[in-house]
Amino acid sequence: MQTSNKMTDRRIVRSKEALKQALLSLLSKKSFSSISITEIVELANYNRGTFYTHYDNKEALLDDILTPLMEDLVASFRAPYGEVDVFHIDELPANAVKIFDHIHQNAGVYTSLFKSDVLPLVRDKMFSALKQIALEDLDYPSEELNHELLIIYNMHALIGLVFHWIENNFQYPVPYMRDQLVLMINWRPRSVRTQIKRTDLT
């Protein structure tokens, strides 16, 4: 009986994974709104019955792709401080940064999502997940700074950097991106030099 259950579980995992990969493949070529369930099952080499055994609609299938992806994203964000009592951002070693490892390990998924019309949804989910975990976990010892506004500012900056990296086909290697992020976090301008170019209108 146990062997039978294991075989059934493997079949479920295999069929769900095939459906996910089929959707991702289609997303790299056309909009989510124009993809039909028939196209998904035909590409996955399954039938509609198998699809509806696992999902109510294609939105549920997409959510089954995004939910574990966001969970892994949050885990990678928490990696530098998840197991310490006190975390000092200015002492963050570059090799403790794992968010770029997560993105690169899931490069195929993110690339397909970025080519599709679900990109705004992906961005919203990424921002919401990181903002929420940062609000819960991080504390900034400053009475002048608004904690929530600072986190919103930082999360938009981080996601903007990640998006630029993905959109440019991972131009820089993971270690370089780690190093640059740590440098950005700790960078403070010594002085600001402003040069105003005046145009003589007379």
Side-chain angles (χ1 to χ4, degrees):
M1 179 68 80
Q2 214 168 20
T3 303
S4 177
N5 288 338
K6 285 182 180 179
M7 290 178 62
T8 302
D9 290 343
R10 287 174 186 168
R11 282 197 294 268
I12 291 172
V13 170
R14 190 163 54 246
S15 59
K16 291 178 76 171
E17 186 60 29
L19 292 168
K20 291 177 189 177
Q21 291 304 318
L23 177 56
L24 287 170
S25 178
L26 290 166
L27 282 173
S28 66
K29 302 168 187 172
K30 58 195 303 187
S31 67
F32 179 72
S33 57
S34 66
I35 295 172
S36 68
I37 290 174
T38 299
E39 289 177 296
I40 296 171
V41 297
E42 286 181 352
L43 187 58
N45 200 26
Y46 283 93
N47 55 47
R48 292 174 67 89
T50 300
F51 181 94
Y52 286 113
T53 296
H54 304 308
Y55 305 107
D56 292 333
N57 47 47
K58 64 180 183 179
E59 286 77 14
L61 173 58
L62 178 62
D63 188 63
D64 199 25
I65 294 171
L66 296 181
T67 297
L69 193 67
M70 294 303 104
E71 289 173 352
D72 196 32
L73 174 71
V74 167
S76 71
F77 178 81
R78 297 188 72 182
Y81 66 86
E83 297 182 3
V84 297
D85 294 327
V86 179
F87 174 69
H88 299 284
I89 190 69
D90 57 343
E91 297 174 3
L92 173 66
N95 62 6
V97 176
K98 298 300 180 185
I99 195 165
F100 297 107
D101 297 78
H102 158 77
I103 298 293
H104 197 262
Q105 287 164 7
N106 295 280
V109 177
Y110 279 107
T111 299
S112 294
L113 294 171
F114 268 58
K115 291 179 180 178
S116 74
D117 57 342
V118 301
L119 182 57
L121 173 64
V122 175
R123 184 183 181 92
D124 287 347
K125 282 187 173 290
M126 289 177 72
F127 177 76
S128 296
L130 293 181
K131 175 191 169 187
Q132 186 60 39
I133 201 68
L135 284 170
E136 293 173 0
D137 290 1
L138 305 184
D139 186 29
Y140 296 88
S142 172
E143 295 180 1
E144 297 178 359
L145 282 171
N146 182 298
H147 186 201
E148 182 178 11
L149 292 179
L150 179 60
I151 283 177
I152 290 171
Y153 174 81
N154 287 335
M155 292 308 103
H156 275 302
L158 177 59
I159 290 175
L161 182 63
V162 166
F163 271 45
H164 176 78
W165 189 48
I166 298 171
E167 288 166 350
N168 285 273
N169 297 314
F170 309 96
Q171 179 182 1
Y172 302 107
V174 169
Y176 181 82
M177 294 301 294
R178 290 180 192 150
D179 291 340
Q180 287 297 303
L181 179 62
V182 171
L183 288 171
M184 291 173 194
I185 289 171
N186 293 304
W187 182 79
R188 296 291 183 273
R190 294 180 182 176
S191 63
V192 178
R193 180 181 298 170
T194 304
Q195 182 177 7
I196 300 174
K197 185 176 181 180
R198 300 184 183 276
T199 303
D200 189 357
L201 300 177
T202 59

